[in-house]
Amino acid sequence: MAGLLAGKRLLVTGVITDASIAFSVARLAQENGAQVVLTGYGRLSLVERIARRLPEPAPVIELDVTNAEHLAGLADRVREHVDGLDGVVHSIGFAPQSCLGGGFLDAGWEDVATALHVSTYSYKSLAMAALPLMSPGGSVVGLTFDASQAWPVYDWMGVAKAALESASRYLAMHLGKQGIRSNLVAAGPLRTMAAKSIPGFEQFEQVWTERAPLGWNLTDPEPTARACLALLSEWFPATTGEIVHVDGGYHSVGA
Ligand SMILES: NC(=O)c1ccc[n+]([C@@H]2O[C@H](COP(=O)([O-])OP(=O)(O)OC[C@H]3O[C@@H](n4cnc5c(N)ncnc54)[C@H](O)[C@@H]3O)[C@@H](O)[C@H]2O)c1
């Protein structure tokens, strides 16, 4: 099989609709020679239906990243489909409504803890759950929304992303000895289910499309997915703890 990811075996989390960034990653990965195993959270029959829209129908394993049993059993479940993993994609984020849309000052710890558990700590949990299947050259890739500054309405999700960016650097440090890389893609705003659940998210949309030097398409996750593929491939062999911006260049310009 030819392609950027020829012969690679990937675990891709985070597909819930065909607008999901993870769906584009899975589709492009298959088109580029990879074998893909998906994980699904919650509405598994929905994820299975979406999975059938991929070029090759992909198996779906149930995974709630906050569920210790799911994590403990993950490697064995993945082994039913592939004999190892060359890459893992973390495309997961969630924060209770109180944590978003301007609620920063009032959100309580229980809700903030949920946001951090699902959106941040899970990056490490997922990598460790998959580690028994990985070998030198392996790649872990996650998705962030540039957390170097505070954004309107993003609130505790922004804090979770800042911590995710740090967690990726620590993962890179701890797994480097085993030859495993950890990198993030900082995507611009995309109209996915996760984005639609953030009240006021549309505030980002107009400024982004107007100011990004290359412009920005809010409904096209493919540029983001392409960067994920590149980081999963052998073309970034000496890059780890890195954040690649796929945002039309927005982060690089002032107001
Ligand atoms: N959409 C954007 O504007 C944007 C921008 C930058 C980064 N991101 C990030 O991209 C990633 C993917 O989000 P998306 O925009 O494709 O939205 P999405 O809604 O399609 O995907 C989010 C996924 O998280 C999963 N999830 C939530 N809780 C989970 C849990 N406990 N266990 C396992 N999975 C769980 C959902 O099932 C869903 O598949 C997220 O990390 C998100 O923060 C999104």
Side-chain angles (χ1 to χ4, degrees):
M1 173 70 93
L4 185 70
L5 298 180
K8 301 269 185 231
R9 301 150 301 174
L10 305 182
L11 184 66
V12 178
T13 65
V15 170
I16 189 70
T17 70
D18 56 10
S20 294
I21 295 169
F23 183 83
S24 284
V25 173
R27 178 178 58 76
L28 280 174
Q30 287 185 343
E31 287 170 4
N32 282 276
Q35 198 178 344
V36 173
V37 177
L38 299 177
T39 72
Y41 166 66
R43 289 141 55 196
L44 269 209
S45 58
L46 176 60
V47 181
E48 280 160 357
R49 183 146 37 94
I50 303 290
R52 288 196 285 274
R53 295 186 196 159
L54 289 168
E56 301 279 328
V60 180
I61 296 171
E62 183 177 19
L63 177 66
D64 172 351
V65 282
T66 66
N67 182 317
E69 279 173 30
H70 287 185
L71 289 164
L74 185 67
D76 285 340
R77 299 285 315 273
V78 173
R79 259 191 218 101
E80 292 168 14
H81 306 285
V82 286
D83 55 3
L85 284 175
D86 303 291
V88 175
V89 178
H90 178 285
S91 190
I92 292 169
F94 172 76
Q97 284 293 301
S98 66
C99 295
L100 301 161
F104 182 81
L105 297 178
D106 298 318
W109 168 240
E110 289 294 316
D111 284 351
V112 171
T114 299
L116 293 173
H117 195 176
V118 178
S119 312
T120 307
Y121 186 75
S122 69
Y123 187 67
K124 191 262 346 175
S125 312
L126 176 68
M128 290 308 289
L131 194 60
L133 295 166
M134 297 186 79
S135 48
S139 174
V140 183
V141 176
L143 277 306
T144 187
F145 188 71
D146 185 3
S148 59
Q149 54 183 298
W151 298 101
V153 308
Y154 209 47
D155 292 304
W156 284 102
M157 196 64 201
V159 178
K161 288 302 190 192
L164 174 70
E165 292 176 7
S166 181
S168 173
R169 289 187 285 269
Y170 276 93
L171 196 70
M173 184 172 81
H174 284 280
L175 297 187
K177 285 187 265 323
Q178 297 175 53
I180 293 169
R181 296 165 287 145
S182 167
N183 294 289
L184 300 179
V185 173
L190 292 163
R191 285 186 188 149
T192 61
M193 193 182 266
K196 284 179 196 154
S197 73
I198 303 174
F201 194 74
E202 62 283 352
Q203 288 182 37
F204 296 115
E205 300 190 347
Q206 200 183 349
V207 279
W208 217 283
T209 45
E210 281 170 10
R211 287 193 203 154
L214 294 172
W216 181 249
N217 185 340
L218 300 157
T219 58
D220 183 11
E222 186 163 326
T224 302
R226 281 178 176 248
C228 293
L229 256 68
L231 290 167
L232 292 164
S233 80
E234 286 160 22
W235 287 89
F236 277 103
T239 299
T240 196
E242 187 58 274
I243 301 173
V244 178
H245 291 82
V246 179
D247 62 351
Y250 183 90
H251 74 283
S252 65
V253 293

